[in-house]
Amino acid sequence: MPFLALFLAGPAALSAAQAAEGSCADIQDQAGLYTACRFDPSDVDIRLHLADPEGRIYGGFDPLRRQLWAERRLLLFAMNAGMYHDDRSPVGLFLDNQRVVKPLITGGGWGNFHLLPNGVFLMKDGRAEVMETLAYQKSGVTPDFATQSGPMLVIDGKLHPRFLADSDSLKIRNGVGVDAQGRVHMVISKVPVRFYDFATLFRDRLGCRNALYLDGSISSAFIADQNRDDRLFPMGPILSVSMPIPQ
């Protein structure tokens, strides 16, 4: 088992694992119940994934976990990371280790992805950021990893202008935000919630001035210290948190 291997690997591995453990908790906010996880990119490695080195789409957490294990990395947390087509290719921008898999989408269209403004979650030189799509385009930033999704939940401290406090659209939802300390908050609801309440959680409870919706009913998570390994639907892009296993 991975955590037994960590024990055998020695105190350095155990210390890192203990720092990551306890980062996830079930919280209640208004009428919603959520699993909220917080990670500091200076303590763990946060990446985005689509396919293995042979080009085979992971499609789920187990193939990704095995690949990371082969690379001497332990998967601590993962969740779906943006919308995708039937062939599991990303709908919007996707960068994997500086390689552009899909370019940025700036036009309108149908569905939540095109409920503008939408945005981008990115990792650059070990730092995380959520940016509105047009701001990302103007910035000229060249991320190491990035995924585009939509809608934005929180934009510079303000809720998305299309969200309604009394909306009757209740869905399981997951999203990602970054707080003022640069910590990454990854949240998946345990019950159906409306966009307005989900966005309010990120802004008012978690302190994220920018946060991005990732997806709805297909939302899934892998949480090692909770023995959670959802296998609900085939997945496209995956957001992971991992740590190296010392030699």
Side-chain angles (χ1 to χ4, degrees), residues 217-233:
S217 299
I218 64 98
S219 299
S220 304
F222 173 95
I223 306 175
D225 67 354
Q226 293 185 2
N227 293 317
R228 177 172 177 173
D229 185 4
D230 295 344
R231 306 182 188 195
L232 305 176
F233 302 94

Side-chain angles (χ1 to χ4, degrees), residues 1-3 49 58 60-78 222-224 228-229 231 238 240-242 245:
M1 298 296 292
F3 280 98
H49 312 266
Y58 288 114
F61 300 130
D62 281 354
L64 174 60
R65 179 181 56 80
R66 290 194 295 269
Q67 177 61 38
L68 291 175
W69 187 253
E71 298 172 6
R72 300 291 297 169
R73 304 195 63 82
L74 180 71
L75 182 63
L76 302 172
F77 174 91
F222 173 95
I223 306 175
R228 177 172 177 173
D229 185 4
R231 306 182 188 195
I238 299 174
S240 79
V241 179
S242 66
I245 301 172

Side-chain angles (χ1 to χ4, degrees), residues 99-188:
R99 182 175 65 90
V100 179
V101 177
K102 182 75 178 287
L104 191 72
I105 301 294
T106 58
W110 178 86
N112 286 329
F113 181 93
H114 295 288
L115 185 58
L116 303 179
N118 55 21
V120 175
F121 169 76
L122 65 94
M123 295 296 303
K124 170 71 173 176
D125 297 330
R127 299 183 63 181
E129 191 168 0
V130 172
M131 302 178 70
E132 185 270 330
T133 291
L134 296 183
Y136 171 87
Q137 185 182 43
K138 292 176 183 176
S139 73
V141 64
T142 55
D144 300 316
F145 299 92
T147 186
Q148 183 184 14
S149 190
M152 286 285 286
L153 297 169
V154 187
I155 311 106
D156 294 332
K158 297 181 180 179
L159 302 188
H160 193 291
R162 297 281 298 277
F163 294 168
L164 301 175
D166 59 353
S167 171
D168 60 1
S169 177
L170 304 176
K171 305 285 186 183
I172 297 293
R173 306 185 190 276
N174 77 306
V176 60
V178 180
D179 66 22
Q181 289 75 45
R183 298 172 300 187
V184 181
H185 296 260
M186 306 175 190
V187 182
I188 183 169

